[in-house]
Amino acid sequence: MDAGLEVSCPMCGGLIEAADEDELIRLSQLHTLDAHRYNVPAEHVLAAMTPGDFGSDRGEDVR
C-alpha cells in the first residue's frame, strides 16, 4: 500500500490515517463531530497532514 497520509486530532491527539486527502478530510470530520461535537475545517486538516507510514512493519524493533 502507498505511504498514505495522517493527521492528529487537534482535540485529543488521536491519529487519523487515510490513503488520500479526500478520505483524510472525511475521516477527520467524522471523528471530530462524533467525539468532540466539532466540525474541523478541511483547510485545517490539509494544513496539518503529514505523510503516513502505511504498509510498514510497525512491529519491527528499531534500535
Side-chain angles (χ1 to χ4, degrees):
M1 184 181 277
D2 291 332
L5 301 168
E6 62 186 32
V7 68
S8 294
C9 173
M11 305 290 281
C12 69
L15 184 64
I16 301 160
E17 299 174 313
D20 59 50
E21 290 180 3
D22 291 336
E23 183 183 26
L24 188 67
I25 292 167
R26 184 179 65 80
L27 292 175
S28 297
Q29 289 177 336
L30 285 173
H31 167 75
T32 56
L33 281 169
D34 183 53
H36 310 295
R37 296 184 185 178
Y38 171 71
N39 188 17
V40 64
E43 305 83 45
H44 293 194
V45 176
L46 295 176
M49 73 180 176
T50 60
D53 58 359
F54 282 12
S56 67
D57 184 3
R58 292 182 182 207
E60 183 176 292
D61 187 16
V62 178
R63 293 179 193 211

